[in-house]
Amino acid sequence: MEKQKKINLYIISDSVGGTANNLGQAAMSQFPGVDANVSAYPFIRGEDTLYSILEKAHKDNALVIHTLISPTLTNLIISYCEDHDLFCFDVINPVVKEIEQRTSTKPLEEPGILHQLNDNYFDRISAIEFAVKYDDGRDPKGFLEADIVLLGISRTSKTPLSMFLANQNYKVANLPLVPEAHIPETLWKVNPKKIVGLTNDRHVLNSIRRERMIAYGLNPETGYSKIDRIDEELVFAKKLYDQLDCLVINVATKSIEETAAIIVNTLQLDSKKRTF
Amino acid sequence: MEKQKKINLYIISDSVGGTANNLGQAAMSQFPGVDANVSAYPFIRGEDTLYSILEKAHKDNALVIHTLISPTLTNLIISYCEDHDLFCFDVINPVVKEIEQRTSTKPLEEPGILHQLNDNYFDRISAIEFAVKYDDGRDPKGFLEADIVLLGISRTSKTPLSMFLANQNYKVANLPLVPEAHIPETLWKVNPKKIVGLTNDRHVLNSIRRERMIAYGLNPETGYSKIDRIDEELVFAKKLYDQLDCLVINVATKSIEETAAIIVNTLQLDSKKRTF
């Protein structure tokens, strides 16, 4: 459908702009009939550059969402937006000011600290490399070292979920389940509280697998996508999950972000793993 | 060092809570001497549940950061925080209200829309699977289909950067560069505007590679970590980047988020790839 209405969003940040960008996405998702024209301005650290962006924003009658930490730039944006009646939402300073007041501690007021190359950062990089290395059951040794072991039959989001959790600093290994294949002995040595069994609805699997076959230029009525075969795999997986007594999540109506949040909450994983 | 001061952060969301969580992280990163005790409450959709969380927050004298879209829950939080003098930062509604006013369009007021399983979501899942499939030069066929082809010698963040860009919906393939190894013919058929050559400082590489050898229980003075060997690899890579005339980024002082933002901006990639 042609979208009739349009919003110009300016995302201004002194660093990558991830927080402001997420907020813009979340807000726009509430208006499916409105078209968003998004201009991202990351790494803005000079007054002149900021001023020229604000002039452009004013011309575009934009909504400005920003995460600028420098008081000089923040004051510039406040005074410009007041003078020119430009909408501007400061995502970061209200919270920073409150923490400052409560703790009588000055904020560093340095941009990009979230992305400092500290130990936590390098742990996260290692976690991503770990997830790629131990994806798809490539090496069962990874199970013992992992924070989370994901199990699931084909098309239960194992790989993307592993990568998403790895970006949150968890070490994840995953194993595809196939009734014919041998379950590695190592799995039985893993603490079941670290294991998550993924499952999906049979009709969802049938339709995803048919599409996958079509995408590969193959007959969609192949064994892989047949309901009987899917049922056999689901029964096999359920039996294994029961034996392991692990957490089971049906991903049929859940995004990887939602499934990841459920895993982190249910397994009560160390929240220090996050970037705080 | 022992942190002397402490802040209780409550992150409340009707969905995953990613935006509010990012904001909390960014704010706390400005106070390295302050300890953050973070409680995350995702998927909050009922008034009773919200009320009991607010009571707990009040007892903890917490800072509440929330992204609740339902007017009922938003009103509950506003009135509770006013009555009990609890700090509360609403990350989403100021922007939603402004869009509503400007476009005379009602927001859906449904939680979790950002994580709907729509075409964009499934494209992103495919992009992550693509990045894992074509990581580490596993199959040069991926170069032609990719939005971005990353090149780099060992320890230039190719894999984590690929996964991060994939999560933003870009199809990424990467190729490790080794002077002795053959450069796949396919690379010369790729539009150089899609290629990024990653590089790093010689001393950074030397120290990372030494640590890697130690982690593997090997002699750190191996050929892999020697400066002469590193220089040889860097010269080899630079020559290839010159021949390809591609964008070159030195990752020595950059996080993957920063490098990704530079790539997306410089290559002027289709911003529709993002989740808007």
Side-chain angles (χ1 to χ4, degrees), chain B residues 169-184:
Chain B
N169 217 342
Y170 299 105
K171 283 156 107 180
V172 187
N174 76 63
L175 177 71
L177 299 182
V178 184
E180 292 74 21
H182 172 71
I183 297 292

Side-chain angles (χ1 to χ4, degrees), chain A residues 86-105:
Chain A
L86 185 64
F87 175 88
C88 148
F89 186 60
D90 183 335
V91 190
I92 185 89
N93 285 302
V95 177
V96 167
K97 291 272 169 292
E98 179 71 18
I99 299 172
E100 178 175 2
Q101 231 170 43
R102 286 189 182 206
T103 61
S104 311
T105 307

